[in-house]
Amino acid sequence: MSRGRLITIEGGEGAGKSTQVPLLVAALEGVGIRTLATREPGGSPGGEAIRRLLLEGEGERWDAASEALLLMAARRDHVAKLIEPALARGVWVVSDRFADSTLAYQGYGRGLAVADIAMLHRFGLGNFVPDLTVILDLPIEIGLARVSARASADRFERLDHAFHQRLRNGFREIAAAEPARYVLIDAAGEPEMVHRAILSAVMQRLRVSLKPAQK
Ligand code: T5A
C-alpha cells in the first residue's frame, strides 16, 4: 500500500479554506482516494483542547512566543495521533491550516523570527512537511468582509488592518520561496472557480486525475 499524501490549505481570515476543504475531500473520494479532513489548531483531542486555549479570551492573553509554543504542542499531537497514522494507512489528509499559519501569523504577523519558528518546527516535527500547500490569496478587505458577517470575531480576527496586511505579504513570500511545494491561488472568485483551481494544482503536482465535486 502506498503512503497517503498531506495537502494543507492556508491563507488569511475569510480566504475560504473551510469552504474549499470539503470540496477537495469530495473530489479525492470521488476517484476512490480515501481522504480525511482535519484542521489546525486542533484535529486531535489534545489539539482541540489547545485550540480552545488559543482562540478564546482577550487579544493579549498570550504573547507571540507562548502562542507559538502552544501551536507547536497542538501540531505535534495532531501529527502523531491523527495525521501520521492516516498517511501510514494510505489515507490522504487535507488540513485546514498547518505549519505555514505559524510562520505567517506568529512570524510575519506578530514579529517572531522566522528562524526561531523553523527551529521550533524541527524540535516538534523533525523534517515532516506537507506534500502540497495551497495558499488562498485575496485582498484583506474582501476576507475580513466575508468573516465580519459572523456573530463574533475570535482573538485573531480582532487584530488590526496592518497585521492582516503583513499576513498576506507573509503568505505570498512563503509561497514564492519554495514554488515546488506551494501553489498560490487567487481566492477572490466564486467558490466553484477556486475549487477548480485547487483541483488543477493537485492534479498537476500530485499526479492524480480528479473531477470537480458535485454539489
Ligand atoms: N492561527 C492558526 C495562528 O495564529 N497560527 C497557527 O499556526 C494556526 C494553525 C484559527 C485562527 O488561528 C490562527 C489563525 C486563525 O485566526 P479559525 O476559526 O479556524 O481560527 O479561523 P480561520 O482558519 O481563519 O477560518 P475562517 O472561517 O475565518 O476563514 P476561512 O476558513 O478561510 O473561510 P470560510 O471558508 O469559512 O469562508 C468565510 C465566509 O466567506 C464565504 C463563506 O461562505 C463564509 O461565509 N466564502 C466566500 N464568499 C464568496 N466567494 C468565495 N469564494 C467564498 N469562499 C468562502
Side-chain angles (χ1 to χ4, degrees):
M1 185 199 341
S2 60
R3 184 177 161 82
R5 302 295 192 98
L6 172 61
I7 302 171
T8 58
I9 313 286
E10 299 274 11
E13 308 296 316
K17 301 171 297 297
S18 318
T19 302
Q20 294 299 327
V21 166
L23 295 175
L24 175 57
V25 169
L28 290 164
E29 293 204 315
V31 295
I33 297 175
R34 284 182 302 149
T35 309
L36 181 73
T38 187
R39 68 170 181 183
E40 287 212 349
S44 58
E48 291 291 330
I50 296 173
R51 177 186 176 92
R52 289 191 286 279
L53 289 174
L54 281 161
L55 297 192
E56 292 167 4
E58 295 306 311
E60 298 74 34
R61 184 177 187 191
W62 306 108
D63 69 14
S66 309
E67 218 164 67
L69 289 163
L70 283 166
L71 284 158
M72 184 45 74
R75 185 162 304 130
R76 183 177 162 83
D77 192 70
H78 186 204
V79 170
K81 307 258 175 66
L82 189 100
I83 296 179
E84 186 54 49
L87 297 176
R89 292 196 310 274
V91 174
W92 288 41
V93 178
V94 180
S95 186
D96 183 339
R97 297 196 181 279
F98 192 67
D100 295 298
S101 281
T102 310
L103 261 186
Y105 279 75
Q106 283 64 45
Y108 291 88
R110 298 203 65 188
L112 291 186
V114 166
D116 287 343
I117 296 175
M119 181 191 65
L120 208 54
H121 185 96
R122 273 197 304 282
F123 174 70
L125 293 179
N127 56 10
F128 183 91
V129 289
D131 296 285
L132 174 66
T133 296
V134 172
I135 295 184
L136 299 181
D137 177 61
L138 83 173
I140 60 173
E141 292 74 17
I142 301 180
L144 292 176
R146 287 180 188 171
V147 294
S148 69
R150 283 199 291 238
S152 64
D154 68 30
R155 280 183 56 233
F156 291 94
E157 285 161 13
R158 291 196 293 267
L159 292 164
D160 64 20
H161 187 277
F163 173 84
H164 291 288
Q165 192 59 57
R166 288 198 298 281
L167 270 189
R168 183 182 189 202
N169 298 345
F171 274 124
R172 292 170 72 96
E173 272 185 39
I174 292 168
E178 209 184 321
R181 188 163 70 77
Y182 293 90
V183 60
L184 189 78
I185 284 181
D186 178 358
E190 290 297 311
E192 176 66 22
M193 270 176 60
V194 180
H195 175 51
R196 284 173 186 271
I198 293 175
L199 288 195
S200 154
V202 172
M203 287 195 284
Q204 193 197 339
R205 303 293 180 92
L206 300 183
R207 308 207 179 286
V208 281
S209 180
L210 300 172
K211 290 196 227 65
Q214 298 300 313
K215 288 211 189 94

